[in-house]
Amino acid sequence: MVHYVTVATCALNQWALDFQGNVQRIAQSIRQAKALGARLRIGPELEIPGYGCHDHFLEPDTTRHSWEALGELLQDKTLGDIIVDTGMPVLHRNVLYNCRVLLLNGRILLIRPKMHLANDGNYREPRWFSPWTKQAATEDFVLPPAVARITGQRTVPLGDALLDTADTCIGVELCEELFTPQSPHIAMSLAGAEIIVNSSGSHHELRKLHRRVSLIAEATLKCGGVYLYANQRGCDGDRMYYDGAAMVLANGHVLAMGRQFALADVEVTVATADLSRVRAFRAANASRSLQAAGRDVPAYPRVQTDFSLSPDFAQLDASVAPTRPLKTVAYLRPEEEIALGPACWLWDYLRRSRLGGFFLPLSGGIDSCATALIVHSMCRLVADACHAGDAQVLADLRRCCGDPAYTPASALDVAGRLFHTCYMGTANSSAETRGRARLLAQSIGSYHVDLDMDAAVSAIVALFTMVTGGPAPQYAVHGGSAAENLALQNIQARLRMLLAYLFAALLPWVRQSSGGPLLVLGSANVDESLRGYFTKYDCSSADLNPIGSISKADLRRFVAFARTEMQLAVLDEFLAATPSAELVPLADGSCAQSDEVEMGMTYDELSIFGRLRKVDKCGPYSMFVRLLHEWSDSLGPAEIAAKVKRFFYYYAVNRHKMTTLTPAYHAEAYSPDDNRFDLRPFLYDTAWTWQFACIDRAVARMTKA
Ligand SMILES: Nc1ncnc2c1ncn2[C@@H]1O[C@H](COP(=O)(O)OP(=O)(O)OC[C@H]2O[C@@H]([n+]3cccc(C(=O)O)c3)[C@H](O)[C@@H]2O)[C@@H](O)[C@H]1O
Ligand SMILES: Nc1ncnc2c1ncn2[C@@H]1O[C@H](COP(=O)(O)OP(=O)(O)OP(=O)(O)O)[C@@H](O)[C@H]1O
Ligand SMILES: NC(=O)CC[C@H](N)C(=O)O
């Protein structure tokens, strides 16, 4: 007797509130799973309305339309003969739950509400849902009449139960539940669930996939069993990118894993697991058996079905073999993740916003260069998908370009249609930055504009002088005050933003393209945002920023990676250049300004401050203590104190700038995004009187000692 079960998990590119598109993608994934021989298919968390509906979950319409959409799935006869695990909000006795709904042949088997809600970082599920707190208990859920008519059921069980099929037992764990110390899979496995299904809405952060795989590998290594993990993939309407990587593990080994980043709307990952191995693994583990036989194992209610996941478990069929475990999991390096995640996010945003492409102010510096490389990466993915026959990507591309007959020849060809770069020079710009911008644009195929805007700068200064009747403001190198010097720089920076929006609106018209206007891209990185080293409402203000949660140090690593992997020799010059704003007059024809000198700290130091502040939750005093140990080889307590105090001073002065930062791709746990992720006041006492005094006392004590 063999017990081979073929199971399917998916990554779907759902879009919040796009019920029609979401149901189509779910149905397509079920059909694909069946075609691949699967008898169980799981999809992402809340896949019917889309995970990222946020406060729309509070609207009864969202639940209502989810039931209507579920009704369509239940009535579709092509979706039968497979257990389907789908997700939607369910209102039970006036309480809203985040639920899995398990279906089979037009009937609902079980509704399983989430028991441990995600409530940190970007997650705030308790704002909309309540957790189901009754372990191993169910209640009767009365179906909405329209659904009851379809299924022929009046009530279905809702709660924490297991599903018994003819050949195995299935337990449901929902996303965050895996991340908790007392994960439900532990009790469910001890109670005999052999397959655990986990549907997630888990967004990308660099290196996060390791954590998911380790948690599941650890779970199945300790408990034994088959574990299915599904996830959304794509931008479903905000700063997050859900990064797929749907997978199947068994007894600690990865059997199959889908792609983390890809443009395909539907990806089904299938594996055949041998349940005999699960049984042998568990039975041979004496201490596990002792626990499983004990009184503490919850007596789960069990929903019964005669359906069997094994094709015919009475006979050995040599054509069906268990999937061999992967030898290694091919984790991407963080640089590769930066190249792919934001690129896929940009593509989803572009096609879903139905605009005509991107416009990027390209300065010849590292940040806008990294942004350009991400768009280049997007163009490569789009060209590859078209060449591989992805009809959806080709249709979306044709709509963006406004050309129904277009077929791309290459990534550079795609860039020529979608990507616009612009160098906006002034008398303060150097030939080096202008040249680097032009060469990079050539290398990646963007439509490049090289302009000078001195006339506009002079006009604004002249207007100011005329209105105030005073002398013209001067740069510091010409004897001007600090205020004059800053004001003159900020005019240039803000004019660039104005020009960016003008060109984004009208370049398609100039090029006689029938695509829509362009999305303006910004390139402010985490470090300069935290330090406030940028002009409010300059080119950092844009429609989207692909690099806004990434530090300068990581961006430099990404550009170095792109130099080799994308074979762009021009990037050597970017890596070698000294970062500079080029907003003050040149000295002997070359740049007289250096970011790090002006900021009073290096980008590497800023990266460290940024991680300590957010990830390690350090206030000024804790940061000082941490750095005292980490920097003790090179710096004394007084120097470290001065650096920490300088950072917190500028952070406090400039925190207000975070409130208007351009929406940025969420890539890192140290993101300073003020609107959704890093919630802080923006009016601080910049003296930090109490905190700095505490540091000063510690320095005094150490100096005395
Ligand atoms: N607590 C608060 N809440 C709300 N608003 C507040 C505020 N404190 C000041 N403000 C306002 O903020 C404004 C000052 O900010 P802003 O106009 O940006 O000007 P500001 O921060 O004074 O100057 C721009 C900074 O960026 C540097 N910079 C300039 C250009 C390019 C680059 C580069 O990235 O390479 C760097 C420049 O050296 C300087 O340090 C004023 O309007 C002020 O009223
Ligand atoms: N000469 C320029 N031409 C076009 N865009 C520019 C120019 N100077 C600055 N910008 C735009 O303004 C943004 C902020 O300018 P800033 O001088 O602060 O550069 P940065 O943040 O160090 O970025 P980069 O490394 O791209 O220069 C740049 O990322 C770029 O998009
Ligand atoms: N939707 C969820 O429950 C996600 C929570 C989980 N901590 C994650 O990041 O994957």
Side-chain angles (χ1 to χ4, degrees), residues 368-435:
S368 47
C369 164
T371 305
L373 292 173
I374 286 169
V375 181
H376 173 56
S377 169
M378 182 200 86
C379 295
R380 288 159 64 118
L381 290 169
V382 169
D384 289 350
C386 292
H387 295 158
D390 189 323
Q392 183 64 53
V393 174
L394 184 61
D396 289 333
L397 175 63
R398 286 176 171 169
R399 204 188 53 224
C400 290
C401 301
D403 179 353
Y406 175 56
T407 301
S410 63
L412 268 60
D413 188 30
V414 174
R417 299 276 186 137
L418 295 183
F419 191 26
H420 304 72
T421 48
C422 179
Y423 186 81
M424 305 171 182
T426 66
N428 301 328
S429 304
S430 67
E432 288 81 12
T433 51
R434 190 186 294 268

Side-chain angles (χ1 to χ4, degrees), residues 361-363 365-368 422-424 496 523 528 539 581 595:
L362 190 62
S363 67
I366 280 282
D367 298 335
S368 47
C422 179
Y423 186 81
M424 305 171 182
R496 290 197 171 111
S523 318
E528 61 195 13
C539 268
D595 286 2

Side-chain angles (χ1 to χ4, degrees), residues 300-564:
Y300 285 95
R302 288 171 180 258
V303 174
Q304 307 285 338
T305 169
D306 292 338
F307 190 76
S308 163
L309 298 193
S310 340
D312 178 353
F313 60 90
Q315 291 186 10
L316 178 61
D317 174 355
S319 68
V320 185
T323 307
R324 291 210 185 115
L326 300 181
K327 288 205 174 73
T328 50
V329 176
Y331 292 112
L332 299 175
R333 285 178 281 159
E335 299 86 278
E336 290 173 285
E337 294 187 58
I338 295 175
L340 294 173
C344 293
W345 181 74
L346 283 181
W347 175 247
D348 279 340
Y349 202 100
L350 178 63
R351 69 192 182 117
R352 288 179 166 160
S353 67
R354 295 177 176 257
L355 294 188
F358 294 110
F359 179 92
L360 172 68
L362 190 62
S363 67
I366 280 282
D367 298 335
S368 47
C369 164
T371 305
L373 292 173
I374 286 169
V375 181
H376 173 56
S377 169
M378 182 200 86
C379 295
R380 288 159 64 118
L381 290 169
V382 169
D384 289 350
C386 292
H387 295 158
D390 189 323
Q392 183 64 53
V393 174
L394 184 61
D396 289 333
L397 175 63
R398 286 176 171 169
R399 204 188 53 224
C400 290
C401 301
D403 179 353
Y406 175 56
T407 301
S410 63
L412 268 60
D413 188 30
V414 174
R417 299 276 186 137
L418 295 183
F419 191 26
H420 304 72
T421 48
C422 179
Y423 186 81
M424 305 171 182
T426 66
N428 301 328
S429 304
S430 67
E432 288 81 12
T433 51
R434 190 186 294 268
R436 280 202 298 271
R438 194 185 60 246
L439 273 180
L440 177 62
Q442 265 168 15
S443 312
I444 59 178
S446 61
Y447 179 92
H448 188 62
V449 178
D450 187 332
L451 58 82
D452 278 308
M453 52 177 218
D454 290 310
V457 176
S458 310
I460 291 196
V461 176
L463 175 76
F464 176 81
T465 315
M466 189 186 74
V467 172
T468 57
Q474 299 295 326
Y475 287 108
V477 286
H478 298 151
S481 64
E484 289 167 72
N485 197 42
L486 259 190
L488 283 176
Q489 295 185 58
N490 290 346
I491 291 173
Q492 300 161 65
R494 288 201 177 97
L495 262 179
R496 290 197 171 111
M497 190 269 280
L498 199 137
L499 288 174
Y501 278 94
L502 176 65
F503 277 76
L506 292 186
L507 270 187
W509 169 69
V510 171
R511 298 183 70 192
Q512 299 188 331
S513 147
S514 39
L518 310 174
L519 284 160
V520 178
L521 294 181
S523 318
N525 64 55
V526 167
D527 305 319
E528 61 195 13
S529 299
L530 274 180
R531 162 65 177 71
Y533 185 66
F534 67 94
T535 302
K536 204 173 184 179
Y537 303 114
D538 70 348
C539 268
S540 56
S541 298
D543 295 319
L544 295 175
N545 178 356
I547 64 161
S549 70
I550 306 176
S551 73
K552 190 90 164 184
D554 284 345
L555 287 173
R556 289 185 67 81
R557 274 192 280 277
F558 164 60
V559 173
F561 156 84
R563 161 70 185 91
T564 324

Side-chain angles (χ1 to χ4, degrees), residues 160-176:
D160 184 24
L162 301 179
L163 178 64
D164 272 345
T165 64
D167 53 347
T168 188
C169 175
I170 302 171
V172 180
E173 175 156 276
L174 244 165
C175 198
E176 176 73 7

Side-chain angles (χ1 to χ4, degrees), residues 45 51 114 117-118 120 123 125 174-177 179 200-203 208 211-212 229:
E45 186 170 10
Y51 183 77
K114 193 167 184 174
L117 301 177
D120 52 20
Y123 295 105
E125 290 180 1
L174 244 165
C175 198
E176 176 73 7
E177 294 173 5
F179 292 75
S200 282
S202 185
H203 64 69
K208 185 172 171 187
R211 182 150 175 239
R212 290 186 203 131
Y229 176 88

